Amino acid sequence: MTGWDRTPSPATILVIDDNETNRYVLTSWLERAGHTVVTAATGAEGLALLDTTPERLPEIAIVDVRLPDLSGFEISERLKNDALTASMPVIQISAAAVSPEDHAEGLRRGADAYLDQPIDPGELLATVTATLRYARARQRAERLAQRLIALNRATLDVYSAVGFHSFATAATGGAAAVLSTPASAVFLSPRAQAVHSMTDAPRTAVRVRPAHPGLLDQLTAHGLHQDTGVTVVRIPHDQWRALLPGDHLEGQVTLAMSRTKRGRPPVCLAVPTEALRGADDEQLLQQLANGCALALEALRTFDEEHALGLALQRSFLPKELPTVPGVELAFRYLPASEHAEIGGDFYEAVQTAHGLLLAIGDVVGHSLTAATVMGEVRHALRAYAAEGHPPHHILERLETLLRQSQPGITVTLCLVLVEPDGRRLHIANAGHIPPLLTDPLTGPRFHTPHGPLLGLGLPHPAPAVLDVPPGTRLLLVTDGLIEIRTAHLDTTLAELREAVATGPDDLEELCELLLTRFGQHKDDDIALLTALFT
């Protein structure tokens, strides 16, 4: 027997007929076929039954065309115009309105089938079966379409996650949204911590808690083992509670486990088995689990590369600054958030034959490449400074180096050479944030003249030479400290100048103040170098 021959499972059917005998006969036939029947003698009574039981609506309505209050045509129209009952099939029956015109009007006004009385029981049951089959197929298609939309949204969410907390929310909440059910997830965070997350329903808060380290191995022992791909298994409730005593899922649990690479821990999504209505739902759960595994692998890879890049970046920066008579120095370096890309900010202080050379710069862009170029530029800078080149000659040599070894890369760099007595500065700025000089008499001012960025192949002007009185302070920063996408740079520079003017005289305290005021929740590296000429 083919799928089209099978009789659909029993349904609840509403019969509206003012004739008691007809109601009894129709009810008898339907109940003998296994269906549950609710009856009404008038149209108003039938509609009232639907209003009082919206959570348990009948699947089909059989309606007499001639009723004492409302016609069957009117009832059909009301059902089809109500979002709650629009998908409910209506079979109209009549002993009087039997002409082709009556049939056409009934079908036009909302009926899905039209039968003339006297009705043959076989024809009635066959019509009910056909109508149920069509209605359930349409409902299944609509439900699948909605769940595919939810799956697409959930997949986008897990791929957009920037940390294991947001991943846990996206994965667990996604399973709940796709299948309209409570859900749980178990996975290993990028920091190698077993995590258990759960939610009670779609669009409700996701609770995240640590899990015992061996949990994932115990779960994969139920079917995935060391294989890659996706496996779905059923776990009895008592076994599930033994594995996860604090979990909230009731009854038998369906677990989807996915691993994308051998040797990697899997992602596990769990829902109550009763939430899966068929093979379609199981495949949706498999697809989501696979998407979660791929997204977590990308997140884990990014975390590993970020940690490597950060370690490389820090290895390029000076561990301490030189001690120079008459000059006090303080510095701060703050990497971007752990989810941002590695930047190329750097600072330097080198004692040369001509004085103390201070430098701050930024390789344009955010990547591991930016960090490696930063290291190359910084080491070359130190070498050129040790050879005794003045600031603008150092810029010219770095220009040549970038053009030969890193074409297409640009760098901003500000050099300040402090003469040995600390009373004269030579400033050469290649497109960087201008240095802020605070004269004890006139207050803070930006030294704005500058040349082009490094890497453009353009000539660099000779440095500006400034005499500075005792007590002058110098502040060099990278744009990560002050750049805000929603604010003009001139505005934030003015705010920086005001903060320095009203801030503490102590360099260490000033650094802390600036980081607290300007350096919070930034997605770029921050470098800050200050000097006091005593």
Side-chain angles (χ1 to χ4, degrees):
M1 183 177 292
T2 68
W4 292 107
D5 296 325
R6 289 195 295 266
T7 300
S9 58
T12 299
I13 300 174
L14 171 64
V15 173
I16 306 177
D17 196 317
D18 61 327
N19 186 295
E20 185 176 356
T21 301
N22 287 343
R23 290 200 308 274
Y24 174 78
V25 171
L26 292 173
T27 298
S28 299
W29 292 344
L30 294 168
E31 288 181 342
R32 280 200 296 269
H35 301 295
T36 300
V37 181
V38 292
T39 62
T42 66
E45 183 182 339
L47 295 174
L49 283 173
L50 300 178
D51 289 337
T52 57
T53 58
E55 72 285 353
R56 300 189 307 275
L57 288 175
E59 286 192 70
I60 295 180
I62 299 176
V63 184
D64 184 16
V65 172
R66 298 288 177 88
L67 294 170
D69 52 349
L70 299 171
S71 72
F73 300 152
E74 291 175 299
I75 293 174
S76 296
E77 286 179 328
R78 292 196 185 187
L79 293 178
K80 298 301 181 181
N81 290 329
D82 187 332
L84 192 62
T85 57
S87 62
M88 182 187 297
V90 178
I91 301 174
Q92 292 181 349
I93 59 174
S94 179
V98 296
S99 69
E101 291 78 12
D102 295 325
H103 285 211
E105 182 177 6
L107 296 171
R108 186 173 59 251
R109 295 178 66 175
D112 295 270
Y114 199 108
L115 298 176
D116 295 333
Q117 290 179 320
I119 302 172
D120 177 76
E123 182 181 9
L124 173 69
L125 295 177
T127 302
V128 168
T129 296
T131 305
L132 272 177
R133 184 185 295 121
Y134 168 76
R136 288 174 176 175
R138 183 176 65 184
Q139 290 168 3
R140 176 187 171 196
E142 291 173 351
R143 185 175 65 252
L144 180 59
Q146 292 171 353
R147 293 189 167 183
L148 284 171
I149 293 172
L151 175 65
N152 180 62
R153 187 180 301 113
T155 303
L156 290 175
D157 287 344
V158 295
Y159 276 106
S160 301
V162 294
F164 87 86
H165 279 288
S166 59
F167 174 83
T169 298
T172 316
V178 170
L179 297 170
S180 303
T181 181
S184 294
V186 180
F187 62 93
L188 197 70
S189 78
R191 302 297 173 85
Q193 168 65 59
V195 176
H196 171 213
S197 57
M198 49 189 165
T199 185
D200 296 325
R203 294 175 294 280
T204 60
V206 174
R207 306 182 295 281
V208 181
R209 62 180 61 175
H212 63 84
L215 177 59
L216 282 165
D217 290 336
Q218 293 174 350
L219 292 175
T220 54
H222 282 77
L224 185 62
H225 303 291
Q226 296 301 314
D227 297 333
T228 59
V230 185
T231 297
V232 175
V233 296
R234 307 284 195 272
I235 301 179
H237 184 252
D238 57 343
Q239 292 184 26
W240 180 251
R241 280 298 171 87
L243 291 166
L244 279 164
D247 196 66
H248 65 316
L249 299 182
E250 299 293 340
Q252 187 186 60
V253 170
T254 294
L255 180 68
M257 299 174 284
S258 179
R259 180 190 285 117
T260 58
K261 293 182 179 179
R262 286 188 176 275
R264 291 290 203 179
V267 171
C268 302
L269 298 181
V271 297
T273 300
E274 64 180 14
L276 304 176
R277 300 189 183 182
D280 290 340
D281 288 350
E282 186 170 304
Q283 290 176 6
L284 291 174
L285 183 63
Q286 287 180 325
Q287 290 181 43
L288 180 58
N290 194 54
C292 289
L294 290 169
L296 186 59
E297 186 62 35
L299 191 63
R300 184 176 287 112
T301 299
F302 173 83
D303 195 75
E304 292 170 351
E305 290 181 353
H306 189 275
L308 175 62
L310 192 58
L312 177 65
Q313 185 183 44
R314 285 173 171 164
S315 71
F316 291 151
L317 297 173
K319 302 299 184 293
E320 58 184 19
L321 298 182
T323 300
V324 178
V327 182
E328 294 181 15
L329 297 174
F331 69 95
R332 294 291 187 276
Y333 181 80
L334 186 66
S337 70
E338 64 180 20
H339 307 307
E341 290 188 279
I342 295 297
D345 294 23
F346 65 97
Y347 61 92
E348 188 56 87
V350 184
Q351 183 70 291
T352 75
H354 302 292
L356 176 65
L357 182 67
L358 303 177
I360 195 161
D362 185 6
V363 179
V364 177
H366 298 86
S367 64
L368 193 57
T369 299
T372 56
V373 172
M374 177 267 282
E376 184 178 351
V377 170
R378 176 178 168 265
H379 288 309
L381 167 66
R382 289 180 62 87
Y384 297 145
E387 290 175 354
H389 299 290
H392 64 297
H393 288 172
I394 293 176
L395 293 180
E396 290 171 353
R397 282 163 171 75
L398 290 174
E399 183 74 57
T400 301
L401 174 68
L402 284 173
R403 202 163 56 244
Q404 292 178 350
S405 65
Q406 300 289 346
I409 298 292
T410 55
V411 178
T412 68
L413 177 62
C414 183
L415 301 178
V416 179
L417 178 65
V418 184
E419 291 190 6
D421 61 1
R423 296 292 171 262
R424 183 173 294 173
L425 307 180
H426 301 249
I427 302 177
N429 189 352
H432 196 76
I433 297 291
L436 182 63
L437 289 161
T438 304
D439 188 304
L441 298 178
T442 60
R445 72 186 188 280
F446 286 104
H447 180 76
T448 54
H450 65 81
L453 282 71
L454 294 173
L456 299 180
L458 300 174
H460 293 272
V465 181
L466 305 178
D467 292 322
V468 293
T472 298
R473 287 185 298 172
L474 171 69
L475 174 65
L476 302 171
V477 302
T478 56
D479 58 6
L481 181 69
I482 57 172
E483 198 168 67
I484 302 173
R485 292 187 179 92
T486 57
H488 195 279
L489 183 60
D490 289 343
T491 301
T492 53
L493 284 174
E495 293 175 356
L496 177 66
R497 183 178 61 238
E498 178 63 22
V500 171
T502 60
D505 293 330
D506 182 81
L507 297 186
E508 297 290 343
E509 293 178 5
L510 178 63
C511 289
E512 290 302 317
L513 170 71
L514 296 179
L515 286 180
T516 300
R517 179 165 176 182
F518 297 99
Q520 304 299 310
H521 311 297
K522 293 297 184 69
D523 56 2
D524 197 0
D525 296 343
I526 295 172
L528 187 154
L529 180 62
T530 64
L532 171 64
F533 309 114
T534 59

